[in-house]
Amino acid sequence: MLDDAAIRRHNCAIAKAEEPMRFALVTVLGLLPGPLAATVVETSAGPMQITPLLTGLEEPWAVDVLPDGRFLVTERDAARLWLITGAARQPVSGLPAVFVGGQGGLLDVMVPRDFASSRVIWLGYAASLGIGAESAFGFGHLSPDGTRLEGFRQVFSGGPMPGSRHFGLRLVEAPDGTIFAGFGERGTGPGGMQAQYLNRAEGKVIHVRPDGSPATELPGALPGVFSLGHRNPQGAALAPDGTLLLVEHGPQGGDELNRVEAGRNYGWPVITWGEQYGGGPIGEGGSKEGMEQPLHYWVPSIAPSGLMVYSGRLVPDWAGDIFTGSLKSDFISRLDPDIPAPTGYAEERIVAPETGRVRDVIEAPDGAIWFLSVEDGTLYRMAPEGH
């Protein structure tokens, strides 16, 4: 059996290195002309039809659905939040001040389960303090007419850091109504140990109550720190048992899917299955006592983004499977936890002209899979033909 160092050397050797208000909202009814026509892609579960729902987006980052079927979309670089109602798109005002630059901007949007009564909307974003940018998140209340967020309150920020990379920042609601937020290590690199310091926010999962107060307090840690040793979380979802799952970017190779539990250390930059950009080892290898192993890792990197555990509503064969997009290799990755593979789980790569730089993947209320393509500036719907 190969030891960790040998496996790591082997795997690393494998790697080579609107006009603002113009848009189209379409449905799956009938044939659509030109580039808006639905296409069909063959998958392990049979033919899937991919149809554009919303076009003309600028650097789309996240999508979530309201209980009444309307949905919200963020645009990172324009720092805009859109409310989509039928064939109308409405900008939502009342957003926090957003730092736009590099990988910073308006990032995640999350609709909690109690929205019908609370009207709360959570946002993750990059904020500016004048001396640097920071990862931050908070919430406001969507006005009855949907035109603004009222009383927005930032509930947590990571503190300013130079540069404009690796903010994170994905949000997910736990079964008990608390909120998890994945914070990036802010591009501090293999030599920066901030992700290992409990008194700093970089490279952590932060856990708060619905009112923004810390939901987890670990000994010696910044209030709210839930886990440590993450690099750049770009997708978050709940496993069927309610446990937090996270996908995060590795360096050159070593992207990870992690099962995240309180107080656990996920290794960055002490351990990784990736290597330095341009080659060379990072840290102490692929494993170390006291540090967690990923459920799955990718070598070479795919730059996973967005995360969804599928219910099986429209595609029973995919019940319990894990979906993430690829910002680097232009596909949707489906992982099957029931089938082991050398790097974790068996993987199917769903490739179509529409899957260019997939930033977010969610399950819609009807069981269809929605995904955002940065390359096309489009929100797509994927479902079995006839659904």
Side-chain angles (χ1 to χ4, degrees), residues 5 7 34 53 97 121 135 146 174 206 225 235 260 311 350:
I7 294 172
L53 294 177
I121 299 294
S135 300
I206 305 301
V225 166
V260 183
S311 71
I350 299 171

Side-chain angles (χ1 to χ4, degrees), residues 27-90:
T27 73
V28 296
L29 300 176
L31 295 177
L32 299 169
L36 295 183
T39 62
V40 175
V41 60
E42 293 296 330
T43 75
S44 62
M48 296 290 158
Q49 182 169 283
I50 299 177
T51 309
L53 294 177
L54 179 67
T55 67
L57 294 166
E58 299 179 18
E59 198 67 34
W61 212 90
V63 58
D64 206 356
V65 184
L66 296 171
D68 62 5
R70 296 180 297 168
F71 57 94
L72 296 161
V73 178
T74 62
E75 292 178 315
R76 186 190 70 187
D77 294 354
R80 285 187 295 226
L81 176 66
W82 295 105
L83 175 64
I84 312 302
T85 305
R89 177 167 72 172
Q90 169 69 52

Side-chain angles (χ1 to χ4, degrees), residues 1-32:
M1 178 178 293
L2 296 175
D3 60 19
D4 287 339
I7 294 172
R8 185 173 171 278
R9 287 194 300 270
H10 170 74
N11 287 330
C12 289
I14 297 173
K16 308 282 185 206
E18 110 200 75
E19 259 184 14
M21 293 303 295
R22 294 187 64 189
F23 72 103
L25 183 68
V26 299
T27 73
V28 296
L29 300 176
L31 295 177
L32 299 169

Side-chain angles (χ1 to χ4, degrees), residues 80 83 95 97 130 133 138 148 158 168 204 208 214-215 222 236 270 273 292-293 305 313 340 347 349 357 362 368:
R80 285 187 295 226
L83 175 64
L95 306 185
R148 65 193 180 280
K204 309 298 187 302
V208 300
L222 195 68
V270 180
W273 292 106
E292 305 302 312
Q293 284 292 299
S305 188
R313 189 186 309 268
E347 180 182 34
R349 297 185 170 186
R357 286 182 54 78
I362 69 168

Side-chain angles (χ1 to χ4, degrees), residues 159-204:
M161 291 282 287
S164 57
R165 296 192 297 138
H166 297 191
F167 292 92
L169 185 298
R170 287 291 182 183
L171 307 172
V172 67
E173 183 183 20
D176 63 0
T178 58
I179 308 300
F180 291 114
F183 273 47
E185 90 328 336
R186 293 304 317 281
T188 50
M193 293 295 289
Q194 289 88 341
Q196 289 293 314
Y197 299 154
L198 282 168
N199 63 344
R200 299 186 64 104
E202 296 90 1
K204 309 298 187 302

Side-chain angles (χ1 to χ4, degrees), residues 17-18 27 47 63 70 77 93 99 110 116 123 152 161 174 192 232 237 252 278 285 323 332 343-344 349 368 385:
E18 110 200 75
T27 73
V63 58
R70 296 180 297 168
D77 294 354
S93 63
F99 166 86
M110 192 273 287
L123 296 177
F152 188 88
M161 291 282 287
N232 187 22
Q252 184 167 280
F323 289 75
I332 295 173
T343 55
R349 297 185 170 186
E385 288 187 286

Side-chain angles (χ1 to χ4, degrees), residues 16-373:
K16 308 282 185 206
E18 110 200 75
E19 259 184 14
M21 293 303 295
R22 294 187 64 189
F23 72 103
L25 183 68
V26 299
T27 73
V28 296
L29 300 176
L31 295 177
L32 299 169
L36 295 183
T39 62
V40 175
V41 60
E42 293 296 330
T43 75
S44 62
M48 296 290 158
Q49 182 169 283
I50 299 177
T51 309
L53 294 177
L54 179 67
T55 67
L57 294 166
E58 299 179 18
E59 198 67 34
W61 212 90
V63 58
D64 206 356
V65 184
L66 296 171
D68 62 5
R70 296 180 297 168
F71 57 94
L72 296 161
V73 178
T74 62
E75 292 178 315
R76 186 190 70 187
D77 294 354
R80 285 187 295 226
L81 176 66
W82 295 105
L83 175 64
I84 312 302
T85 305
R89 177 167 72 172
Q90 169 69 52
V92 180
S93 63
L95 306 185
V98 174
F99 166 86
V100 175
Q103 296 171 1
L106 183 60
L107 304 175
D108 210 6
V109 59
M110 192 273 287
V111 179
R113 291 186 297 275
D114 70 352
F115 173 83
S117 58
S118 72
R119 300 199 65 80
V120 163
I121 299 294
W122 289 81
L123 296 177
Y125 54 98
S128 176
L129 293 182
I131 56 173
E134 61 181 350
S135 300
F137 68 99
F139 66 87
H141 296 81
L142 189 65
S143 62
D145 63 2
T147 62
R148 65 193 180 280
L149 279 184
E150 298 175 334
F152 188 88
R153 181 161 70 92
Q154 179 177 294
V155 302
F156 191 97
S157 63
M161 291 282 287
S164 57
R165 296 192 297 138
H166 297 191
F167 292 92
L169 185 298
R170 287 291 182 183
L171 307 172
V172 67
E173 183 183 20
D176 63 0
T178 58
I179 308 300
F180 291 114
F183 273 47
E185 90 328 336
R186 293 304 317 281
T188 50
M193 293 295 289
Q194 289 88 341
Q196 289 293 314
Y197 299 154
L198 282 168
N199 63 344
R200 299 186 64 104
E202 296 90 1
K204 309 298 187 302
V205 169
I206 305 301
H207 189 204
V208 300
R209 297 187 178 92
D211 64 2
S213 62
T216 296
E217 298 198 48
L218 302 174
L222 195 68
V225 166
F226 184 79
S227 60
L228 67 156
H230 302 284
R231 187 171 182 269
N232 187 22
Q234 291 290 292
L238 298 180
D241 64 359
T243 304
L244 176 65
L245 300 178
L246 209 67
V247 284
E248 49 192 282
H249 290 184
Q252 184 167 280
D255 301 333
E256 295 181 356
L257 167 67
N258 282 304
R259 179 184 178 92
V260 183
E261 299 181 67
R264 301 291 179 87
N265 187 337
Y266 292 84
W268 179 261
V270 180
I271 62 171
T272 175
W273 292 106
E275 64 178 4
Q276 300 271 13
Y277 294 106
I282 294 173
E284 301 179 22
S287 63
K288 183 177 181 177
E289 186 175 355
M291 295 184 175
E292 305 302 312
Q293 284 292 299
L295 297 175
H296 184 91
Y297 67 92
W298 288 268
V299 175
S301 291
I302 69 164
S305 188
L307 191 65
M308 179 264 286
V309 180
Y310 187 62
S311 71
R313 189 186 309 268
L314 283 183
V315 189
D317 287 352
W318 288 348
D321 291 354
I322 299 164
F323 289 75
T324 187
S326 169
L327 291 171
K328 179 181 178 182
S329 302
D330 297 340
F331 58 82
I332 295 173
S333 171
R334 180 186 67 85
L335 300 175
D336 187 342
D338 295 326
I339 303 177
T343 55
Y345 298 148
E347 180 182 34
E348 175 185 13
R349 297 185 170 186
I350 299 171
V351 182
E354 295 84 358
T355 58
R357 286 182 54 78
V358 174
R359 174 67 75 176
D360 200 12
V361 184
I362 69 168
E363 180 176 349
D366 66 353
I369 296 171
W370 288 9
F371 62 92
L372 282 171
S373 166

